């Protein structure tokens, strides 16, 4: 205890040096503060003296609290406690405070001395700790609400489980505490599974996995489990917390999905096997049906020509009926094969650039006799010219299908065929619209219009016939090319089918010019154009087509002198037929340019003109001069001077079917070719050893040695490997087989899809290259 004044002064000095000290009068007005007070409050002494403590730096204490403090010290009692205060700059600080009343000799309080210690850091730590505890409590509550939680010792003994653990395991908490997780072991996992888990968490690492457990009632459930080790100061786990979620439904769904996937895979394999069997069946059916049909159609056409020459109109009519019926049956077979190819994804597109006017003319050439024969009228409205790029063969089939369909269901009515440009979905294309005044359709009939093998009703099928595949195939084809078919119909009034096909005019420019078109397909890398006609008259081009249709010579056309020179440089034809009277650049100028060009001067030029300047033509280098109008025989005789004669070539026909072999032999011999035969590949090799043919017509499906084996054997003989081979088969060729044949075969012709003239043209095309 302090016994004298000196000791008291020393004590006060030490207290003032280490504590926050302030002195107030009996009304609470500050009369003095020490340096520690100024430092922590950030007030100068002159700023704080004369102020009340509450106004100066205690905005956090309530009035009731301040009143309680004041009542205690007013009674001469000491007050102890903690206060949060505010400094001059607005920052906060905490002090552990003692307020001591000072009395005079009369026992009256006249001053108060406040002695404080800065406890801001300690209070901040307490706040942080309390917040951490609160957060942990929130996390615990969240885990308890959302997850299945358990805590174990480092030995795996359960010390805590939450309510959800009890719910899913069906054990009470008292049945679980003090036991290990073996109590819920399902026996599903091997011992190595749990061994790895314990090795992981014993090393202080987190383990994650999916565990199958068994509840008290024997039911099983799956847990997505995370086990987190809690480490002591030495880094050794002293307990583990496991957090689980129920994934029983997900695992069950995955198991069901796996089983379903396995079933689908099995079904897929079976479907592939069935598809292979179906494809093989269709290939065999194609061969077995097309081969006799080919003979029926071919012989009927050949006999029809002979009957016409003999003047037997009755035979001509009967043979025409046979040919027409054979072609009808073939069309039905081809429809079935087409829909099968489409459904199996084996139908391929063969896009090419083609003249729109030529396409329309091809379609009309086919349809006009049929429409007239049904007593209908066909009106064609075409507002467009130019080229389009598409699979022209399929587009032609679509348009013929639509027109045939309208013609079939219309009697003594009108069919309108309209072609115009139309934009759809920001794309430009052509619309081909077929409108008829036929029987029309009901809404029910429209609903099943594009279903395979479905027609309006049984009575319609009986009356009009057909397989119901034409429109289906047309729709599938147009979808493959990015287009669409729409239909509008009113029962008893008529129907309108609109086929739309997209195109980009800028990308569809021709190889030479809009005035340049080819009569036969030109394969520039393997084929040379036979004849180039330079003539500005469309009628002369059509006349040349008809005159030379059966010769097999490859034709190309140019409608001006300048285009003719460009075409000659590009195509290098064997003969040039040149008109004289043309605008801008006449035939004489063209002839001069041709004979002045070292690359073109040796090409024979035949003048084809209305003028009679024969001597001038010869003088300027023309090889022959023909005066219009020219007779067909005369034209062909002149052309044969420059293009190889047929009698110079030997054709080998390899075909096991006697009827088909004889048909092709007679057809070729009638055209002047030398023909030899072989019924299989082995006999054909013996035949070639006696004399190398100029061309081989080859069937693929033959006994002893089939076409594929024959080609392999032929390619091994160096002297024979260059013989042109044209496959003529009834077999449906797969893409793999086509690729296999592509290196050795010049072309593949499907039996039943060509006429005699087409076959002869194809033969002549390859024979002309051999010369």
């Amino acid at each position: 205890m302090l016994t004298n004044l000196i000791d008291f002064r020393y004590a006060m000095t030490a207290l003032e040096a280490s504590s926050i000290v302030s002195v107030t009068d009996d009304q609470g007005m500050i009369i003095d503060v020490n340096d520690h007070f100024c430092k922590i409050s950030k007030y100068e002494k002159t700023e704080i003296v004369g102020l009340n403590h509450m106004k100066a730096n205690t905005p956090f204490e309530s009035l009731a609290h301040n009143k309680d403090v004041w009542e205690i010290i007013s009674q001469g009692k000491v007050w102890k406690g903690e206060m949060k205060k505010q400094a001059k700059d607005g920052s906060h600080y905490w002090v552990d405070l003692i307020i001591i009343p000072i009395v005079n000799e009369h026992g009256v309080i006249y001053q108060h001395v406040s002695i404080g210690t800065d406890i801001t850091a300690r209070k901040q730590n307490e706040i942080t700790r309390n917040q951490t505890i609160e957060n942990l409590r929130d996390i615990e509550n969240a885990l308890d609400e959302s997850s299945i939680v358990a805590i174990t010792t480092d030995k795996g003994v359960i010390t805590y489980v939450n309510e959800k653990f009890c719910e899913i395991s069906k054990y009470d908490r008292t049945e679980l505490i003090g036991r290990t997780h073996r109590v819920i072991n399902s026996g599903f996992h091997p011992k190595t599974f749990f061994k790895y888990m314990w090795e992981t968490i014993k090393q202080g690492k987190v383990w994650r996995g999916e565990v199958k457990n068994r509840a008290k009632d024997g039911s099983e459930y799956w847990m997505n489990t995370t086990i987190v080790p809690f480490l002591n100061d030495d880094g050794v786990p002293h307990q583990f917390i496991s957090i689980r979620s129920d994934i029983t439904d997900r695992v069950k769904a995955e198991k069901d999905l796996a089983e379903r996937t396995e079933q689908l895979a099995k079904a897929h394999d079976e479907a592939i096997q069935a598809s292979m069997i179906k494809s093989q069946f269709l290939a065999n059916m194609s061969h077995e049906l097309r081969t006799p049909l080919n003979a029926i159609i071919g012989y009927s056409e050949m006999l029809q020509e002979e009957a016409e020459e003999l003047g037997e109109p009755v035979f001509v009519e009967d043979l025409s009926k046979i040919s027409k019926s054979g072609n009808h049956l073939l069309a039905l077979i081809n429809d079935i094969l087409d829909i099968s190819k489409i459904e199996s994804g084996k139908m391929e597109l063969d896009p090419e650039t083609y003249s729109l006017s030529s396409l329309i003319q091809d379609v009309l050439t086919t349809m006009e006799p049929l429409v007239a024969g049904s007593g209908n009228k066909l009106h064609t409205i075409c507002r467009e010219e130019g080229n389009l790029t598409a699979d022209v063969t399929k587009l032609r089939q679509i348009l013929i299908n639509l027109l045939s369909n309208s013609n079939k269901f219309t009697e003594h009515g009108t069919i309108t065929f309209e072609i115009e440009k139309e934009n759809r979905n920001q794309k430009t294309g052509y619309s081909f619209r077929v409108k008829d005044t036929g029987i029309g359709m009901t809404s029910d009939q429209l609903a099943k219009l594009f279903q395979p093998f479905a027609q309006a009703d049984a009575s319609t099928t009986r009356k009009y016939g057909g397989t119901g595949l034409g429109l289906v195939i047309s729709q599938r084809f147009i979808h493959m090319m990015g287009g669409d078919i729409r239909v509008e119909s009113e029962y008893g009034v008529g129907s309108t089918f609109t086929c739309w096909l997209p195109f980009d005019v800028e990308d569809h420019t021709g190889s030479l010019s809009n005035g340049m078109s080819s009569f036969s397909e030109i394969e520039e890398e393997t084929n040379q154009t036979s004849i180039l006609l330079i003539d500005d008259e469309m009628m002369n081009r059509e006349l040349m087509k008809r005159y030379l249709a059966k010769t097999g010579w490859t034709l190309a056309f140019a409608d001006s002198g300048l285009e003719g020179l460009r075409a000659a440089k590009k195509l290098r034809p064997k003969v040039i037929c040149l008109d004289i009277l043309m605008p801008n650049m006449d035939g004489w100028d063209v002839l001069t340019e041709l004979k002045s060009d070292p690359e073109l001067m040796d090409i024979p030029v035949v003048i084809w003109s209305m003028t009679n300047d024969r001597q001038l033509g010869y003088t300027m280098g023309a090889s022959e001069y023909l005066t219009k109008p020219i007779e067909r025989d005369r034209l062909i005789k002149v052309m044969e001077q420059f293009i190889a004669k047929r009698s110079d070539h030997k054709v080998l026909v390899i075909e096991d079917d006697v009827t088909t072999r004889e048909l092709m032999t007679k057809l070729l011999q009638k055209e002047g070719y030398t023909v030899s035969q072989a019924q299989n590949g082995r006999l054909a090799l013996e035949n070639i050893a006696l004399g190398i043919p100029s061309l081989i017509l080859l069937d693929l499906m033959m006994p002893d040695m089939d076409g594929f084996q024959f080609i392999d054997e032929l390619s091994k003989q160096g002297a024979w490997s260059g013989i042109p081979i044209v496959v003529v088969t009834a077999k449906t060729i797969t893409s793999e087989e086509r690729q296999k044949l592509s290196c050795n075969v010049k072309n593949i012709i499907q039996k039943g899809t060509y006429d005699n003239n087409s076959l002869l043209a194809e033969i002549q095309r390859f024979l002309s290259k051999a010369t």
Side-chain angles (χ1 to χ4, degrees), residues 300 303-305 307-308 311-325:
S300 64
L303 290 172
Q304 188 176 345
E305 289 180 3
E308 289 175 348
E312 297 286 349
V314 176
F315 288 163
V316 170
E317 184 179 352
D318 291 342
L319 290 167
S320 175
K321 292 176 181 178
I322 294 172
S323 177
K324 185 181 295 184
S325 296

Side-chain angles (χ1 to χ4, degrees), residues 98-321:
I98 297 176
I99 303 177
I100 305 171
I102 306 297
V103 298
N104 56 21
E105 61 273 16
H106 303 292
V108 178
I109 298 171
Y110 69 94
Q111 285 183 346
H112 301 95
V113 177
S114 297
I115 303 171
T117 304
D118 184 4
I119 59 170
T120 304
R122 192 198 79 197
K123 292 295 290 186
Q124 195 63 46
N125 289 337
E126 288 179 0
I127 293 171
T128 302
R129 185 183 72 248
N130 291 337
Q131 186 63 50
T132 301
I133 293 172
E134 187 66 26
N135 289 342
L136 288 174
R137 189 175 293 112
D138 291 341
I139 292 172
E140 180 183 3
N141 291 336
L143 280 175
D144 282 339
E145 287 297 322
S146 63
S147 302
I148 299 161
V149 182
I151 301 175
T152 70
T153 66
D154 60 336
K155 304 298 182 183
V157 177
I158 299 172
T159 58
Y160 170 81
V161 292
N162 69 345
E163 189 62 33
K164 286 189 177 294
F165 192 107
C166 296
E167 288 177 6
I168 196 166
S169 69
K170 297 182 173 57
Y171 284 98
D172 291 334
R173 187 175 280 108
T174 56
E175 295 177 296
L176 295 169
I177 302 296
R179 303 178 69 177
T180 67
H181 279 83
R182 291 192 186 95
V183 69
I184 57 172
N185 190 336
S186 65
F188 175 80
H189 302 282
K191 292 181 179 180
T192 53
F193 178 85
F194 295 105
K195 181 180 179 183
Y196 174 74
M197 180 186 73
W198 272 102
E199 288 175 351
T200 301
I201 60 178
K202 281 290 189 180
Q203 295 174 20
K205 299 177 183 178
V206 176
W207 181 88
R208 295 179 178 87
E210 296 179 354
V211 185
K212 185 178 183 181
N213 294 326
R214 180 178 287 117
K216 183 178 180 180
D217 63 358
S219 61
E220 294 179 336
Y221 56 95
W222 279 87
M223 295 283 104
N224 186 3
T225 304
T226 300
I227 302 177
V228 181
F230 281 70
L231 310 180
N232 59 22
D233 294 339
D234 297 327
V236 178
H238 65 90
Q239 67 177 5
F240 305 104
I241 180 170
S242 62
I243 303 169
R244 301 175 172 90
S245 58
D246 184 6
I247 58 170
T248 304
D249 291 341
R250 194 205 78 194
V251 172
K252 183 178 183 301
E254 289 176 351
K255 181 180 178 182
D256 292 343
L257 179 61
E259 291 176 354
R260 180 61 175 162
T261 302
E262 184 178 355
Q263 293 172 358
L264 289 175
K266 183 179 179 181
H268 179 258
D269 292 341
E270 291 174 351
I272 291 176
Q273 181 65 23
S275 178
M276 292 175 61
I277 295 172
K278 174 185 175 183
S279 298
Q280 186 61 43
F281 168 75
L282 289 173
N284 292 338
M285 185 185 78
S286 169
H287 181 269
E288 296 302 323
L289 293 178
R290 281 175 172 165
T291 297
L293 272 174
N294 179 67
I296 293 170
I297 295 169
Y299 271 111
S300 64
E301 290 178 353
M302 191 165 61
L303 290 172
Q304 188 176 345
E305 289 180 3
E306 294 179 357
E308 289 175 348
E309 293 173 0
L310 295 173
E312 297 286 349
V314 176
F315 288 163
V316 170
E317 184 179 352
D318 291 342
L319 290 167
S320 175
K321 292 176 181 178

Side-chain angles (χ1 to χ4, degrees), residues 246-483:
D246 184 6
I247 58 170
T248 304
D249 291 341
R250 194 205 78 194
V251 172
K252 183 178 183 301
E254 289 176 351
K255 181 180 178 182
D256 292 343
L257 179 61
E259 291 176 354
R260 180 61 175 162
T261 302
E262 184 178 355
Q263 293 172 358
L264 289 175
K266 183 179 179 181
H268 179 258
D269 292 341
E270 291 174 351
I272 291 176
Q273 181 65 23
S275 178
M276 292 175 61
I277 295 172
K278 174 185 175 183
S279 298
Q280 186 61 43
F281 168 75
L282 289 173
N284 292 338
M285 185 185 78
S286 169
H287 181 269
E288 296 302 323
L289 293 178
R290 281 175 172 165
T291 297
L293 272 174
N294 179 67
I296 293 170
I297 295 169
Y299 271 111
S300 64
E301 290 178 353
M302 191 165 61
L303 290 172
Q304 188 176 345
E305 289 180 3
E306 294 179 357
E308 289 175 348
E309 293 173 0
L310 295 173
E312 297 286 349
V314 176
F315 288 163
V316 170
E317 184 179 352
D318 291 342
L319 290 167
S320 175
K321 292 176 181 178
I322 294 172
S323 177
K324 185 181 295 184
S325 296
N327 281 297
H328 178 67
L329 180 56
L330 182 62
L332 297 178
I333 294 170
N334 288 337
D335 279 351
I336 294 172
L337 294 174
D338 279 348
I339 197 68
S340 175
K341 282 184 181 179
I342 293 170
E343 290 177 348
S344 63
K346 294 182 179 179
M347 182 63 73
E348 298 175 353
L349 293 177
D350 185 18
E352 58 179 308
T353 300
Y354 201 76
S355 166
L356 178 63
S357 59
S358 298
L359 171 67
I360 301 305
Q361 187 57 49
D362 289 348
V363 173
L364 293 179
T365 299
T366 302
M367 289 305 305
E368 283 175 340
L370 298 177
V371 173
S374 299
N376 294 316
K377 295 180 180 179
L378 176 60
H379 294 309
T380 303
I381 305 171
C382 183
R383 302 184 177 91
E384 309 298 337
E385 294 183 357
N387 299 332
L388 77 163
T389 296
D391 189 321
V392 177
T393 302
K394 291 182 174 59
L395 180 56
R396 186 186 296 112
Q397 182 176 343
I398 292 168
L399 298 178
I400 290 175
N401 274 341
L402 295 180
L403 287 165
S404 298
N405 195 65
S406 289
N407 184 57
K408 181 165 65 172
F409 295 105
T410 304
E411 294 182 1
H412 303 292
T414 301
I415 300 171
T416 304
F417 183 30
E418 184 178 5
I419 304 95
E420 63 180 353
K421 285 183 181 177
E422 182 181 346
N423 293 336
R424 290 189 187 179
N425 301 321
Q426 300 180 342
K427 290 183 179 179
T428 303
Y430 283 121
S431 277
F432 302 87
R433 189 171 292 104
V434 177
K435 184 178 181 180
D436 63 61
T437 57
I439 61 175
M441 289 174 281
T442 65
S443 57
D444 291 339
Q445 292 169 342
L446 280 172
K448 55 183 179 181
L449 189 61
F450 293 102
Q451 297 176 15
F453 302 102
Q455 289 193 331
D457 51 45
S459 61
T460 302
T461 304
R462 287 193 300 271
K463 182 176 181 181
Y464 297 99
T467 60
L469 290 176
L471 290 176
V472 178
I473 293 171
S474 298
Q475 185 190 55
R476 305 287 177 85
F477 280 169
I478 203 68
H479 284 173
M480 288 173 66
M481 292 186 281

Side-chain angles (χ1 to χ4, degrees), residues 48-64:
I48 200 71
V49 172
L51 296 178
N52 186 287
H53 261 291
M54 288 188 295
K55 294 182 179 179
N57 55 12
T58 315
F60 302 102
E61 305 297 334
S62 64
L63 292 175

Side-chain angles (χ1 to χ4, degrees), residues 586-637:
D586 66 18
W588 302 122
D589 293 334
V590 174
L591 182 59
T592 301
E593 291 289 334
L594 288 171
K595 296 305 175 182
S596 301
D597 191 327
E599 297 180 358
L600 304 177
M601 61 186 303
D602 293 330
I603 300 176
V605 178
V606 176
I607 299 297
W608 157 290
S609 178
M610 297 288 291
T611 66
N612 197 22
D613 298 326
R614 185 183 302 271
Q615 190 58 44
L616 177 61
Y618 291 146
T619 302
M620 296 184 66
S623 300
E624 187 58 84
Y625 197 104
L626 299 176
T627 304
K628 299 178 184 178
I630 184 68
E631 295 179 357
R632 177 180 181 276
D633 293 342
R634 170 66 176 156
L635 173 64
I636 293 176
K637 186 175 181 180

